[in-house]
Amino acid sequence: MRIAHRALASAGTLALTLGCLVVGAAGGTAHAATCSQSYLPLPDPVCTPGSYNPDVTQATIGSTICVSGWTTTVRPPTTYTNPLKEQGITDYGYSDTSMSDYEEDHLVPLELGGSPRDPGNLWPEPHYGTQTSYTKDGVETKLKNAVCAGTITLSAARSAIRTDWTTALQVTGVG
């Protein structure tokens, strides 16, 4: 599990967990990829299943996600997300390890009430490829606007983006 590997790697420990050897060393940490890239542009659903912020419900959208600027009040700082991104790049076995080539993205976005700090809702999404982190940003905005306009429910938007953000607009009838 990605969360366990992050804790082990950051502690610099030697462990055998879930069939993956994680070796700590002074010069760095050697890892086998624990998350599959085969789902790209989606995250590996085992490593990044997505999760919700319990404070955001259909009843609270008027005081949370539909308030301009609300996501800035819950967005975690890069001091929290950058170590997760670095570990995630290793976990996903990306050959490109440049941090700037990825966004530590919330699978269920903050603007749809995704959990801000749950590592199971965060993954290093590439800025490159045919459908990128930039493409997903547009999907997120359209879904949030539809939820706030009452066109679709929060539950429908969350379910669609969590299942497959590349088809979420079609599934919900927004796009």
Side-chain angles (χ1 to χ4, degrees), residues 105-106 109 111-112 136-144 161:
D105 195 34
H106 294 87
E111 56 193 325
L112 291 175
K136 184 173 178 275
D137 290 344
V139 171
E140 295 169 0
T141 299
K142 287 179 181 179
L143 288 173
K144 184 202 79 150
I161 204 159

Side-chain angles (χ1 to χ4, degrees), residues 9 17 20 24 26 29 46 51 56 85 88 91 100 106 110 116 120 133 137-138 141:
T17 180
C20 173
T29 304
V46 173
S51 62
V56 180
K85 182 182 352 181
D91 290 346
S100 64
H106 294 87
L110 298 179
S133 57
D137 290 344
T141 299

Side-chain angles (χ1 to χ4, degrees), residues 56-144:
V56 180
T57 65
Q58 189 69 43
T60 66
I61 62 172
S63 61
T64 56
I65 67 169
C66 296
V67 174
S68 180
W70 179 81
T71 59
T72 61
T73 69
V74 296
R75 184 175 307 284
T78 56
T79 54
Y80 178 78
T81 58
N82 276 348
L84 291 176
K85 182 182 352 181
E86 184 174 16
Q87 184 60 50
I89 289 169
T90 299
D91 290 346
Y92 273 88
Y94 292 132
S95 57
D96 173 4
T97 59
S98 174
M99 295 271 286
S100 64
D101 289 339
Y102 304 90
E103 174 181 332
E104 187 67 1
D105 195 34
H106 294 87
L107 175 59
V108 179
L110 298 179
E111 56 193 325
L112 291 175
S115 178
R117 290 181 172 258
D118 181 351
N121 194 41
L122 288 155
W123 72 295
E125 185 177 19
H127 289 311
Y128 53 83
T130 57
Q131 295 194 19
T132 69
S133 57
Y134 305 116
T135 310
K136 184 173 178 275
D137 290 344
V139 171
E140 295 169 0
T141 299
K142 287 179 181 179
L143 288 173
K144 184 202 79 150

Side-chain angles (χ1 to χ4, degrees), residues 131 160 163-172:
Q131 295 194 19
T163 301
D164 184 341
W165 69 263
T166 67
T167 62
L169 295 177
Q170 293 83 359
V171 167
T172 59

